[in-house]
Amino acid sequence: MIRVLLVHEARLVRSVMAEWLRREPDLDVYGTTWHHAPGHALSVRPDVCAVDLDHADTDGHPPIDELLPSKNGAGLPRLLVLTTADRPGLLRRAIEAGALGYVDKKGSPDRLVHGIRRVAKGERFVDDSLGFGFLLAAEMPLTRRELSVLSLAAAGASVAEIAGDLHLSHGTVRNYMAAITRKTGARNRIDAIRISQTKGWL
């Protein structure tokens, strides 16, 4: 049996997806939200974490690292993400987190089942339809940390709140914001948020 932890914020969608996956005789599926996902990952000890990055926490920053506290050692869950090609920022986060599977949410449900089985074996699985998204992710100028800072800023967080959430000094947050503004070619923080949202980085 392949133990699957399905992470999605929308209860109805999560329940329907879980029930659909449970029709497969080799899948043992557990559903949860992002908030409860780290605890479930410890208790369930899944082979695969299948996560919807578009529905993460309220500030849009998916806490992938809390599901995968280390990239070393056997027995850790392998990561499969559900996303779309027009969200290169989320793809970039998943790539840097070491995800093995990338399933297009606009594709066939059978692709998700196939992806889970491939990832459970330690094999990479990428939907062809996400190719353009990977190109955009490779060209994106912002680092993972800069995306985290900008995601919080886009959610309305102040410099002090961003610093507290990410365990940074106020000066470091301001330096990140200055770098983000420069890299995006923006006039100010608000413009940087607008540009990044338009390009699908956030």
Side-chain angles (χ1 to χ4, degrees), residues 4-11 14-15 18 22 29-41 44 49-52 55 67:
V4 180
L5 183 62
L6 178 64
V7 184
H8 198 296
E9 285 301 290
R11 182 177 180 182
R14 183 177 67 247
S15 297
R22 288 184 185 118
V29 184
Y30 302 81
T32 189
T33 63
W34 275 103
H35 178 71
H36 295 103
H40 276 76
V44 172
C49 287
V51 304
D52 186 346
H55 296 275
L67 292 179

Side-chain angles (χ1 to χ4, degrees), residues 64-106:
I64 299 173
D65 292 337
E66 295 180 28
L67 292 179
L68 309 171
S70 172
K71 294 181 183 177
N72 301 311
L76 293 178
R78 298 183 173 98
L79 182 65
L80 178 147
V81 299
L82 305 169
T83 189
T84 55
D86 58 358
R87 299 300 302 275
L90 294 178
L91 275 173
R92 175 77 165 267
R93 286 187 177 127
I95 293 167
E96 293 178 350
L100 277 180
Y102 302 83
V103 175
D104 190 345
K105 295 197 299 182
K106 297 178 180 179

Side-chain angles (χ1 to χ4, degrees), residues 67-192:
L67 292 179
L68 309 171
S70 172
K71 294 181 183 177
N72 301 311
L76 293 178
R78 298 183 173 98
L79 182 65
L80 178 147
V81 299
L82 305 169
T83 189
T84 55
D86 58 358
R87 299 300 302 275
L90 294 178
L91 275 173
R92 175 77 165 267
R93 286 187 177 127
I95 293 167
E96 293 178 350
L100 277 180
Y102 302 83
V103 175
D104 190 345
K105 295 197 299 182
K106 297 178 180 179
S108 166
D110 292 332
R111 299 292 289 169
L112 174 58
V113 175
H114 187 50
I116 288 172
R117 288 174 176 148
R118 288 276 299 276
V119 169
K121 295 177 182 177
E123 300 173 358
R124 183 170 296 277
F125 178 85
V126 180
D127 264 333
D128 293 340
S129 55
L130 294 176
F132 183 63
F134 275 92
L135 289 176
L136 294 177
E139 296 172 353
M140 192 171 60
L142 302 181
T143 66
R144 188 178 182 186
R145 178 61 87 178
E146 288 165 349
L147 284 171
S148 297
V149 170
L150 193 59
S151 293
L152 289 168
S158 65
V159 169
E161 290 169 334
I162 296 172
D165 191 74
L166 299 180
H167 308 291
L168 302 171
S169 70
H170 292 193
T172 299
V173 172
R174 292 190 182 93
N175 288 340
Y176 274 126
M177 287 307 309
I180 290 166
T181 301
R182 182 183 71 255
K183 288 182 176 181
T184 58
R187 298 185 301 274
N188 50 44
R189 179 165 98 165
I190 301 300
D191 195 33

